[in-house]
Structure formats: structure tokens, C-alpha cells
């Protein structure tokens, strides 16, 4: 059983499984949002977690002070995701029956003053947060390591937990892409959401039916890409950034057969059976055409599909193009991950001469 | 006519304003330049960029790690050539480890792997490790100069300074 979990936890299997689970979570969101489902999962999860803790390797990785926030994060995010979908399921059912959302009922429209109602709550949250951090700092000591040495790196060298998703991304991309462009696009894209999402529905009440596209694409980026990668980076990456299952011993000499190939090498050496052309632009022509086609050819094509035609009629052409470019950039990560796993593909465009690799 | 005016006229006001702003700008510039100077260290402890690495006979076939901790250099002797590799990963600048059992350099940050000859073959590293300039001085000892690097993808590994015939 542990062996099975170790194998399934490998991103090659766990990423598609996470995507499928995510799809079914949203497809049957009313079932997912029911209290019965939440209680069942909680009652199953607690004993399963305790049994897993009995394994020494799992215990070691879970109780590592740096990793405890991730466990808290998993519990907190699971709860809040369930809670919002629970509220959305109730409101959607009410709206299907022709009633107003819970938040719009007369008893919930009563207004209270910000002072003292909100400010007192915030005050309490600040005090509780400070106490929590002080207790945390006392219980989990910050490690005092040897003096910094520019010619040596710890193994594995892990980023702070909130950057582990980025570090996982860097396994599949060139640093300027995964370290500069994509994080920048994430920040700019999040800032842009209020300007490109003009759907007035869902304003002030929980819902899913009214904003299916917005909620499902945001939750995909947040749960499946960002959080899943943090969990993989925290619990499943060991020495040499090799994958280790949750019950696997961190053997420093674990050898993983891996040989990554660029798209240009696939095309010229494996497929056409010739030497690589000396002109670097000819060498990478296929990758450049594919990348440009993906970023500039796909948006006008997608605009012709019925789903996006409807979206364009609602938000207009400019907002559509911004949305679709953000969307395609987000999906470049899972595409690159799947290509790496399926074909050991390193870079679609590999121009190390120009420090440009996609 | 001897009445003392209590208010500045328009011209005097602007003169005072100009002097005030000029003084403020000068003071700010002085403070900023002090802050700028403060961001540079008084003493620089950077290791020297070139060093004498002994005689060519000191090296056995394979990877030699004796200069790794002091200077960040791997000496690799292979197929009659002695080269000095930088120990900085070409992906994001971590420090890989030499793994004698697997005969590869493996980076702990994102899992890039390099063969003994410096060629990248696994993980995200986009290009091979960089070679440093290596030459013999008049006493016949090896001198490694880290200010000059030779990059494979630019075809610089054929350069006579990028390796030593041994």
C-alpha cells in the first residue's frame, strides 16, 4: 500500500489525478459542498493521517519545522475552498428555485457600523496572530547553520515554503521565464482581474453557476498549479531535487534515469536523421513557429469557438485578448510539465547562445 | 516711508523659495550620496580571481575537487586534456555536487545534471558548465584565471586557453 502511494505521488501520476479530481470537484460541486461530504472526508482523513504518521520517513518529513506550515495550509485551504463552495451550492439551489441568495434576504441586509464591529474583530485578529507567531518562534527554533560558503550549497537546497511552487516551476523552465516573466504575469494578472472581469453577478454573495468560467479558471491556477506545486516541492522533493515518495527513505544515491532533449534535437537528429543546422534560427525554427503560434495564432482561432464568442459578446475584444493571453501563459506550465514527463523534452526553443530558452 | 513691511513681496517670496528648495535639494543629494556609499563594503573579501594550481602531474584521471571549496573550480582530466570547470550551475547559479558513483555533477536546487565533461544532460540547465582559462606559467605550474570563461555553446571550447594538453 505504501509502495503504491509512493508511486502514485510521483507528479507524472499525481498531476493528472489532481486535475481529474479538480474537474469532478467542480462538476459535482453541490455534492462536494454538502456538509455530509465534509464530515465524511474529515472522519476518514484523521485516522488515515495518524496511520501515515506511524511511518518513520513520513513522520520525519511532516514534522520538519519548515514543513509544518504546509500541513496547516492544506487544512486551511481545504476548509475555505469547501466553505465557499458550500455557500455557493446553497445560493445556487435557492436561485434555481427562484429565491434570492442568502446574503440578499432582508434579515441579512441589516447594516452595522465599521467601528466598533469590524475594528474590534481586526484588533482581536492582530493580537491572536502576534501570540501565535511568538509561540511558534519559541516552539520551533530557527536552525543555526554553518557560516555561508559561496562554493557549497545544502542538498536539497529548498526555497522558503511560499516560494517552493516557483522552485518547482523552475525545474521545467529557463530562469528568466519561471523566475521573472511568469511570476510577473501572475502579479499583473491578479491585479488585472477586476478590470477584465466585468460580470456583475456574484457581487456580494457566494455563487458558482453565475461565474463558472471565472471561478474554475482561478481555482485551477490556485489549487492545481500553485498549491499542488508547493506540496510537491515541500514533501516530495529530496536530495538533488529528485522525486521521493512520502514514505520513501531519502537515499542520497538514488539514481533516476533521465535524459532531456530539446525539440530541435528531436526534429533534426531523431526525426530527419541529419546534423543540426549551423544557423541557430534555422535550428530552432520549429520551436519558434510553435511558440509564436501558441501565443499569437491561438487567440484569434479560439475567438471563433462558440464558448469564447459568447465571452467576447459580454466583455469585448480587448478584454478577451488580455484574458486569453493570461490563460495561455498559465497553461504553458502544465503543457511544459506534461511534455517533460512524456517525451523528456527540455526546451521548445533552445537558444543558449542568446540566453533565450522556452 | 520708514514703515517696516511685514510681508514679502512677490519677487522676494520667489527668491526665498528658490534658496529654500536649492538648500533642500543639496541636503537630500548629500544624504543620498552617503546612503549610496554606505551600500558598498569598506573591505572586499572576495577570493582572488586567479590562482596557481600545482603541476599537471598532480592530477589523476577524473574529477579533482581540491580547489572546489577555496576557489569554486573543478579540475577535470579526461582524454588527455585538463580543464578547469566553474562550479556554478548554468541554470540558476546553485553549486552542484560531484557524484563519483554516478559520474555526474548534480545540482541540488532544480536537479540539473552534467557529465564529467561538463555537458548538461538532465534537468533544466540550458547549457554546459563554463570552463575557466587554464595555462602554464614559466615554472611549469598550472594557472587558472577565473576572469576569462569559455562557453561550449559559443564554440569556445576549441580555444587553446580553455584546456591543457597533458
Amino acid at each position: 500500500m505504501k509502495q503504491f502511494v509512493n508511486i502514485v505521488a510521483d507528479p507524472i501520476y499525481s498531476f493528472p489525478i489532481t486535475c481529474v479530481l479538480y474537474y469532478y470537484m467542480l462538476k459535482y460541486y453541490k455534492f462536494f459542498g454538502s456538509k455530509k461530504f465534509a464530515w465524511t472526508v474529515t472522519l476518514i482523513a484523521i485516522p488515515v493521517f495518524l496511520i501515515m504518521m506511524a511511518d518513520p520517513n513520513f513522520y520525519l518529513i511532516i514534522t520538519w519545522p519548515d514543513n509544518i506550515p504546509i500541513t496547516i495550509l492544506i487544512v486551511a485551504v481545504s476548509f475555505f475552498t469547501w466553505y465557499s463552495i458550500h455557500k455557493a451550492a446553497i445560493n445556487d439551489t435557492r436561485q434555481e428555485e427562484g429565491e434570492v441568495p442568502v446574503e440578499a434576504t432582508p434579515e441579512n441586509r441589516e447594516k452595522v457600523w465599521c467601528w466598533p464591529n469590524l475594528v474590534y474583530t481586526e484588533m482581536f485578529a492582530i493580537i491572536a496572530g502576534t501570540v501565535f507567531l511568538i509561540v511558534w518562534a519559541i516552539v520551533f527554533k530557527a536552525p543555526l547553520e554553518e557560516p555561508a560558503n559561496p562554493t557549497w550549497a545544502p542538498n536539497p537546497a529548498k526555497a522558503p515554503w511560499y516560494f517552493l511552487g516557483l522552485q518547482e516551476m523552475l525545474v521545467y523552465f529557463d530562469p528568466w521565464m519561471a523566475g521573472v516573466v511568469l511570476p510577473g504575469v501572475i502579479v499583473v494578472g491578479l491585479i488585472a482581474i477586476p478590470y477584465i472581469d466585468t460580470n456583475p453577478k456574484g457581487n456580494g454573495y457566494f455563487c458558482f453557476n453565475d461565474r463558472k468560467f471565472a471561478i474554475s479558471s482561478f481555482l485551477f491556477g490556485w489549487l492545481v498549479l500553485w498549491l499542488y506545486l508547493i506540496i510537491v516541492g515541500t514533501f516530495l522533493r529530496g536530495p538533488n531535487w529528485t522525486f521521493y515518495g512520502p514514505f520513501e527513505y531519502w537515499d542520497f544515491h538514488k539514481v533516476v534515469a533521465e535524459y532531456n532533449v530539446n525539440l530541435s534535437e528531436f526534429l533534426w537528429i531523431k526525426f530527419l536523421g541529419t546534423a543540426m543546422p549551423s544557423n541557430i534560427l534555422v535550428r530552432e525554427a520549429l520551436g519558434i513557429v510553435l511558440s509564436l503560434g501558441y501565443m499569437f495564432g491561438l487567440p484569434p482561432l479560439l475567438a471563433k469557438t462558440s464558448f469564447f464568442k459568447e465571452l467576447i459578446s459580454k466583455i469585448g475584444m480587448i478584454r478577451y485578448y488580455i484574458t486569453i493571453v493570461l490563460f495561455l501563459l498559465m497553461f504553458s506550465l502544465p503543457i511544459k510539465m506534461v511534455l517533460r514527463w512524456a517525451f523528456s523534452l527540455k526546451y521548445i526553443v533552445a537558444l543558449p547562445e542568446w540566453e533565450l530558452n522556452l | 516711508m520708514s514703515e517696516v513691511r511685514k510681508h514679502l513681496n512677490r519677487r522676494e517670496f520667489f527668491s526665498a523659495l528658490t534658496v529654500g528648495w536649492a538648500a533642500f535639494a543639496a541636503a537630500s543629494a548629500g544624504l543620498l550620496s552617503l546612503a549610496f556609499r554606505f551600500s558598498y563594503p569598506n573591505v572586499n573579501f572576495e577570493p582572488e580571481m586567479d590562482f596557481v594550481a600545482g603541476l599537471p602531474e598532480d592530477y589523476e584521471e577524473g574529477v579533482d575537487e581540491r580547489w572546489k571549496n577555496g576557489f569554486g573550480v573543478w579540475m577535470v582530466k579526461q582524454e588527455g586534456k585538463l580543464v578547469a570547470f566553474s562550479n556554478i550551475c548554468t541554470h540558476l547559479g546553485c553549486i552542484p555536487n560531484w557524484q563519483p558513483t554516478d559520474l555526474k555533477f548534480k545540482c541540488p536546487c532544480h536537479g540539473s545534471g552534467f557529465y564529467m565533461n561538463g555537458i548538461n544532460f538532465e534537468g533544466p540547465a540550458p547549457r554546459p558548465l563554463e570552463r575557466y582559462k587554464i595555462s602554464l606559467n614559466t615554472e611549469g605550474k598550472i594557472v587558472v584565471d577565473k576572469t576569462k570563461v569559455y562557453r561550449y555553446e559559443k564554440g569556445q571550447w576549441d580555444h587553446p586557453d580553455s584546456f591543457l594538453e597533458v
Side-chain angles (χ1 to χ4, degrees):
Chain A
M1 185 65 199
K2 280 178 181 175
Q3 206 56 41
F4 175 73
V5 174
N6 279 344
I7 293 167
V8 167
D10 191 321
I12 297 171
Y13 305 106
S14 62
F15 183 74
I17 292 171
T18 313
C19 290
V20 169
L21 286 179
Y22 175 73
Y23 172 77
Y24 280 106
M25 178 187 109
L26 289 185
K27 187 166 185 206
Y28 300 107
Y29 73 99
K30 282 189 181 162
F31 174 66
F32 174 82
S34 63
K35 282 187 175 165
K36 205 202 289 177
F37 178 82
W39 280 116
T40 318
V41 169
T42 314
L43 289 178
I44 294 172
I46 291 171
V48 166
F49 182 74
L50 290 176
I51 293 168
M52 284 160 87
M53 288 286 272
D55 183 276
N57 291 317
F58 185 79
Y59 182 81
L60 214 62
I61 187 89
I62 280 287
T63 52
W64 184 255
D66 284 3
N67 295 350
I68 294 171
I70 313 298
T71 314
I72 299 173
L73 177 102
I74 294 172
V75 174
V77 168
S78 310
F79 173 72
F80 285 116
T81 307
W82 173 82
Y83 186 71
S84 59
I85 290 186
H86 169 68
K87 292 261 188 178
I90 292 174
N91 278 345
D92 284 353
T93 314
R94 286 175 65 97
Q95 283 184 312
E96 278 158 22
E97 288 161 1
E99 293 176 68
V100 291
V102 179
E103 289 86 348
T105 52
E107 63 267 28
N108 282 334
R109 293 183 72 89
E110 190 194 348
K111 294 198 167 82
V112 291
W113 293 104
C114 175
W115 168 270
N117 298 287
L118 176 67
V119 179
Y120 270 31
T121 315
E122 286 175 345
M123 179 74 183
F124 177 73
I126 290 169
I127 294 170
T130 313
V131 170
F132 176 76
L133 284 180
I134 290 172
V135 171
W136 184 277
I138 292 169
V139 174
F140 302 109
K141 298 266 185 289
L144 189 62
E145 296 180 9
E146 55 210 276
N149 178 355
T151 60
W152 178 84
N155 191 7
K158 287 199 181 188
W161 62 265
Y162 44 84
F163 277 151
L164 278 170
L166 278 184
Q167 195 174 355
E168 263 302 298
M169 248 157 81
L170 277 159
V171 174
Y172 305 98
F173 282 103
D174 195 58
W176 72 265
M177 192 68 191
V180 180
V181 175
L182 289 179
V185 167
I186 292 171
V187 172
V188 173
L190 287 176
I191 294 171
I193 285 177
Y195 302 98
I196 52 181
D197 182 0
T198 52
N199 186 354
K201 285 179 180 164
N203 203 340
Y205 63 96
F206 287 94
C207 65
F208 179 69
N209 250 344
D210 290 345
R211 347 177 18 94
K212 267 187 178 146
F213 178 67
I215 291 177
S216 42
S217 46
F218 175 80
L219 279 185
F220 181 77
W222 165 233
L223 295 177
V224 181
L225 295 184
W226 191 247
L227 276 177
Y228 167 79
L229 286 186
I230 286 183
I231 291 167
V232 169
T234 310
F235 296 124
L236 305 177
R237 291 290 187 179
N240 298 325
W241 212 248
T242 308
F243 168 81
Y244 289 83
F247 303 115
E248 202 174 340
Y249 170 69
W250 277 16
D251 177 9
F252 275 67
H253 298 290
K254 179 179 180 181
V255 178
V256 182
E258 194 191 0
Y259 187 87
N260 294 331
V261 182
N262 291 325
L263 182 67
S264 49
E265 289 161 351
F266 267 117
L267 174 70
W268 297 104
I269 295 174
K270 289 205 172 162
F271 188 67
L272 295 177
T274 56
M276 304 272 274
S278 54
N279 185 319
I280 54 176
L281 285 179
V282 175
R283 188 186 74 199
E284 304 298 333
L286 177 66
I288 294 171
V289 168
L290 282 178
S291 309
L292 291 179
Y294 180 73
M295 280 323 296
F296 299 103
L298 264 187
L301 279 181
L302 286 174
K304 296 206 164 55
T305 59
S306 59
F307 176 79
F308 285 110
K309 262 187 185 158
E310 202 192 320
L311 188 74
I312 293 169
S313 70
K314 281 183 195 155
I315 64 175
M317 221 47 181
I318 295 172
R319 285 200 184 92
Y320 162 75
Y321 273 110
I322 295 171
T323 311
I324 204 73
V325 164
L326 291 172
F327 212 72
L328 288 174
L329 282 171
M330 178 169 96
F331 271 93
S332 70
L333 175 63
I335 289 172
K336 203 69 203 294
M337 282 159 59
V338 168
L339 287 176
R340 174 70 66 84
W341 298 327
F343 306 109
S344 298
L345 184 90
K346 188 189 277 180
Y347 290 116
I348 294 168
V349 178
L351 289 169
E353 294 88 348
W354 298 352
E355 314 279 347
L356 180 81
N357 305 286
L358 294 173
Chain B
M1 296 305 264
S2 61
E3 179 188 340
V4 179
R5 278 192 297 121
K6 283 177 187 159
H7 299 289
L8 300 172
N9 67 22
R10 185 174 295 230
R11 181 166 296 177
E12 284 163 348
F13 171 73
F14 275 109
S15 311
L17 194 69
T18 310
V19 171
W21 271 113
F24 177 72
S28 309
L31 268 176
L32 276 176
S33 64
L34 282 178
F36 189 72
R37 169 63 190 79
F38 181 70
S39 61
Y40 283 90
N42 288 327
V43 186
N44 210 336
F45 290 108
E46 267 189 36
E48 289 178 37
M49 289 306 279
D50 54 349
F51 62 98
V52 178
L55 296 163
E57 296 85 66
D58 296 350
Y59 295 94
E60 288 175 23
E61 194 81 4
V63 176
D64 189 289
E65 293 204 280
R66 73 181 79 171
W67 307 111
K68 193 211 166 198
N69 285 334
F71 296 95
V73 170
W74 280 305
M75 306 293 276
V76 179
K77 189 170 167 184
Q78 205 183 12
E79 292 163 358
K81 281 180 182 174
L82 182 66
V83 298
F85 278 120
S86 149
N87 77 340
I88 294 169
C89 179
T90 53
H91 177 233
L92 204 53
C94 277
I95 310 299
N97 298 302
W98 167 243
Q99 298 195 317
T101 46
D102 311 328
L103 292 177
K104 66 182 180 187
F105 301 102
K106 186 79 177 160
C107 181
C109 289
H110 307 95
S112 296
F114 305 85
Y115 290 130
M116 209 202 312
N117 60 8
I119 301 290
N120 53 322
F121 71 100
E122 65 180 352
R127 53 198 183 83
L129 291 174
E130 289 172 355
R131 283 187 189 174
Y132 288 132
K133 181 181 172 182
I134 184 168
S135 55
L136 291 176
N137 65 8
T138 48
E139 296 164 30
K141 288 188 173 172
I142 300 168
V143 178
V144 176
D145 180 5
K146 289 168 68 180
T147 54
K148 184 83 186 118
V149 296
Y150 296 95
R151 288 168 55 167
Y152 171 82
E153 71 280 4
K154 292 189 174 170
Q156 292 166 335
W157 279 14
D158 297 328
H159 195 281
D161 279 348
S162 71
F163 59 88
L164 270 187
E165 300 271 5
V166 284

